[in-house]
Amino acid sequence: MTDTQLLDLLASRPNRALKLLSQRYSPLVMAVAGRVLPGRQMDLEEIAADVLVKIWQKREEINPQTLRGFVITTARNLAIDRYRLLRRQNEVPLFDQDQEAGEFLEDQVLTQVLAEQIKAMSPPDGEIFLRHHLLLETAAEIGAHFGLTEAAVRARLHRMRIQLRKEVPR
Amino acid sequence: MNEWYELVNDLETKTNEPDELTAKRIERNAAAALPKRRSRLKIALIAAAILLLTACGVTTLRFADWFGTLTNPQDPAASEDLLSSLGTVLAQTQTVDGVTMTLHGALYDGETFLLSLSVEGLEETRYSSSVDPGASWLYSSRAEWERGAEKAGIETSYYDQLIQSGMFTVNISRQFDMDRCLLLIRPVMMPKEGQEVVLHLEDLQVMGQTVSGPFTFTFTPEKKTVEQTYNCDVQLTAMSGEAYTVTQVVITPLEIRVQICGQLDSSGSPPENTPCIEDIRTAEGADSWAYGSGSWIQNGGDGTWVGRLTYGTLERILDPASVTAVKIDDTWLELHDGN
């Protein structure tokens, strides 16, 4: 069943559609959210359920062609919201990524201007940025993906953050 | 945000399949957060019915809403009939520090005891299906307990220690919005018929917020039973090879119970592999009503053993009359009048 058919099914048989959507996307949600909240199984399950509810709420607005992108972005945002809440309650440690990346991740809102800046980056910088800040992959993982050293990825990310902080209004 | 969806849509990343229980919890939590679907026609009919009933002075019972997770979505009206035949309306409301708790009703048939409670006026909440009962308890009322204690010559001051054993599990069965939800409470204690009990709620953790209370509800759950009983004498063989007899099958809306018995072997032991209810069949065909079952076996005296198999995890209410067969291990036991 295609994503278009699944979104249509939400209107007529929501429980059946939720089950199928969960089978397709909950592993992805838990992978993305699990990088922000490692080991917090209940939180991850709740975020996975919340993403399904968000899909149901926005079923008429979502473009089926980019449903996967909606899932990744929503999972990432919900996980960071949950992380902020838990950190206020001192229930989770700070990000184990470098401090600069953690602060950037928390502060940065996914605006249209930022999206345009990323699109304008020369390859593979845009994808490196997205893998780090949206999929929350580590510099080492990204390095392995692109055949770069971890240090080279960190250096690129650092340069990109400086550039974006200059050019993207907050 | 659409630009972002396009940007990340094709990014591949490593994922792991969640286990079956995790997947089920995710689906259940998501489904519980969706509003119940009602057509405009249904809403109009319900509104008309409420007006009519109000005009006639009749109270509308809403057990299907209070115990919504048990409702069969294919036939909510039939579920309402079944639930209301087991249920008692309690309708007690208390407000403390801006939080209102309403104890709606109880389902109590002597084997299962469930309470529906709603919480309103929460602040700074987040979605969470789990609830920590905190310092809450459910136990016999002090007056009721002291009457029995005096007769038995027990020191009445023990009451304050004993209430700590009155534990219960509690789950969010439905979240209306971020300040209001419905809870399903399943006490460990099974009251005796006509026993007055107290539900004390204190430091309850609901949707990430601590509800200090305390709230104290005193009530007497009314025992109501709806069941279909089949007495029989059917010989079966356990997976480990021992013969045993099924003597009775009892089907209630919430549970299936099968009575079994047999002879202890030469070493005085019951069957190595206790039989298990694997499935049921209804008039509509095979049914995945529940996915858990339990059993116990004890010495029956004179070289025999007796046991009880149970089936049902409160997934969904079931019309006892609709069950036509029960599968025990690999054998389907057909249910007929007189069998």
Side-chain angles (χ1 to χ4, degrees):
Chain A
M1 189 174 278
T2 64
D3 283 351
T4 305
Q5 290 168 320
L6 277 178
L7 289 173
D8 288 343
L9 195 65
L10 272 174
S12 55
R13 295 178 64 192
N15 287 339
R16 173 73 182 148
L18 280 182
K19 186 180 179 70
L20 296 171
L21 282 165
S22 183
Q23 285 170 359
R24 185 167 300 174
Y25 288 119
S26 288
L28 179 61
V29 172
M30 294 184 80
V32 172
R35 289 179 176 276
V36 183
L37 301 163
R40 296 192 65 93
Q41 177 70 13
M42 288 304 292
D43 288 305
L44 299 181
E45 288 179 19
E46 286 167 10
I47 288 168
D50 283 351
V51 170
L52 295 174
V53 174
K54 295 271 185 203
I55 295 173
W56 184 84
Q57 287 169 337
K58 294 186 179 292
R59 62 194 182 280
E60 288 170 5
E61 303 162 33
I62 294 174
N63 176 356
Q65 306 305 319
T66 56
L67 177 58
R68 191 169 180 280
F70 176 87
V71 168
I72 292 172
T73 313
T74 307
R76 176 258 191 208
N77 290 346
L78 288 173
I80 288 175
D81 286 349
R82 180 68 58 98
Y83 170 81
R84 286 177 178 144
L85 182 83
L86 293 171
R87 210 176 71 175
R88 278 204 298 274
Q89 298 166 352
N90 291 323
E91 286 191 35
V92 287
L94 291 169
F95 275 108
D96 60 2
Q97 298 175 8
D98 60 278
Q99 190 181 351
E100 185 194 10
E103 286 170 1
F104 186 86
L105 178 66
E106 282 195 77
D107 292 346
Q108 200 63 58
V109 179
L110 301 183
T111 60
Q112 186 179 347
V113 180
L114 179 60
E116 284 167 4
Q117 288 290 329
I118 292 165
K119 276 185 198 168
M121 288 175 180
S122 53
D125 283 359
E127 188 173 340
I128 287 176
F129 182 91
L130 291 171
R131 285 193 171 277
H132 192 58
H133 290 294
L134 270 295
L135 291 180
L136 310 167
E137 290 181 357
T138 64
E141 287 170 311
I142 297 168
H145 186 84
F146 289 103
L148 298 168
T149 64
E150 183 180 343
V153 174
R154 283 186 188 282
R156 281 173 187 249
L157 285 167
H158 178 70
R159 277 201 306 276
M160 281 185 263
R161 283 195 290 267
I162 290 171
Q163 184 187 349
L164 290 170
R165 279 200 166 112
K166 275 185 203 163
E167 296 179 12
V168 178
R170 301 276 289 283
Chain B
M1 287 295 282
N2 284 342
E3 297 83 3
W4 285 97
Y5 307 154
E6 285 168 27
L7 273 171
V8 300
N9 197 61
D10 297 326
L11 290 182
E12 291 299 332
T13 192
K14 283 182 199 163
T15 59
N16 291 314
E17 289 296 318
D19 60 60
E20 196 178 332
L21 278 177
T22 300
K24 203 168 178 63
R25 278 198 298 269
I26 292 169
E27 286 161 29
R28 191 184 303 164
N29 288 344
L34 298 192
K36 286 202 164 182
R37 295 165 65 234
R38 290 199 180 108
S39 69
R40 288 182 181 178
L41 177 62
K42 274 188 185 168
I43 291 168
L45 287 173
I46 290 167
I50 290 169
L51 279 175
L52 186 64
L53 291 169
T54 307
C56 298
V58 177
T59 306
T60 307
L61 301 180
R62 302 299 301 154
F63 283 94
D65 275 347
W66 298 338
F67 297 94
T69 53
L70 303 178
T71 304
N72 179 357
Q74 308 299 322
D75 196 351
S79 295
E80 173 68 23
D81 288 346
L82 277 170
L83 288 166
S84 58
S85 63
L86 284 175
T88 306
V89 177
L90 299 173
Q92 295 186 27
T93 297
Q94 290 177 25
T95 301
V96 178
D97 294 337
V99 177
T100 300
M101 296 267 194
T102 302
L103 183 60
H104 296 291
L107 298 182
Y108 172 56
D109 66 358
E111 299 279 345
T112 304
F113 182 28
L114 298 169
L115 297 167
S116 173
L117 181 94
S118 64
V119 189
E120 293 181 58
L122 296 170
E123 295 174 347
E124 294 184 22
T125 55
R126 62 184 173 85
Y127 177 75
S128 172
S129 58
S130 56
V131 178
D132 182 342
S136 307
W137 49 266
L138 184 143
Y139 202 71
S140 178
S141 72
R142 183 182 288 274
E144 177 106 28
W145 187 84
E146 286 184 351
R147 275 196 294 276
E150 279 171 14
K151 277 185 195 169
I154 298 170
E155 176 57 54
T156 54
S157 62
Y158 285 145
Y159 180 79
D160 293 320
Q161 296 168 35
L162 289 171
I163 55 175
Q164 303 306 323
S165 65
M167 295 179 290
F168 54 79
T169 59
V170 54
N171 296 96
I172 293 181
S173 57
R174 192 172 162 200
Q175 186 177 346
F176 299 99
D177 42 49
M178 289 311 283
D179 72 341
R180 200 161 61 101
C181 65
L182 194 65
L183 305 180
L184 183 68
I185 294 179
R186 190 176 192 189
V188 172
M189 171 199 177
M190 195 58 60
K192 292 175 189 157
E193 202 167 351
Q195 184 180 3
E196 185 180 67
V197 297
V198 171
L199 173 64
H200 177 91
L201 300 167
E202 186 174 347
D203 293 341
L204 202 68
Q205 290 269 350
V206 188
M207 298 200 295
Q209 180 178 334
T210 302
V211 179
S212 303
F215 303 83
T216 302
F217 300 99
T218 303
F219 59 97
T220 303
E222 190 180 344
K223 182 179 172 183
K224 296 182 180 179
T225 53
V226 176
E227 60 185 38
Q228 191 93 11
T229 300
Y230 300 89
N231 293 310
C232 52
D233 182 16
V234 177
Q235 307 294 317
L236 295 178
T237 305
M239 302 284 257
S240 43
E242 301 89 341
Y244 67 96
T245 305
V246 178
T247 57
Q248 189 181 62
V249 178
V250 178
I251 301 170
T252 80
L254 298 164
E255 192 175 57
I256 293 174
R257 301 190 287 272
V258 174
Q259 300 291 340
I260 56 175
C261 64
Q263 296 290 323
L264 296 171
D265 67 15
S266 54
S267 65
S269 301
E272 190 181 339
N273 290 344
T274 306
C276 190
I277 304 175
E278 294 287 351
D279 205 350
I280 61 168
R281 192 189 300 138
T282 66
E284 289 81 37
D287 199 317
S288 54
W289 179 55
Y291 58 88
S293 60
S295 60
W296 60 257
I297 282 183
Q298 65 181 30
N299 196 313
D302 295 331
T304 65
W305 58 265
V306 293
R308 185 164 93 166
L309 316 178
T310 55
Y311 183 76
T313 52
L314 300 175
E315 284 291 293
R316 174 157 60 79
I317 203 161
L318 180 81
D319 179 1
S322 71
V323 180
T324 59
V326 174
K327 188 180 183 186
I328 302 173
D329 291 338
D330 289 334
T331 307
W332 279 102
L333 190 65
E334 301 293 334
L335 304 173
H336 310 286
D337 288 340
N339 178 23

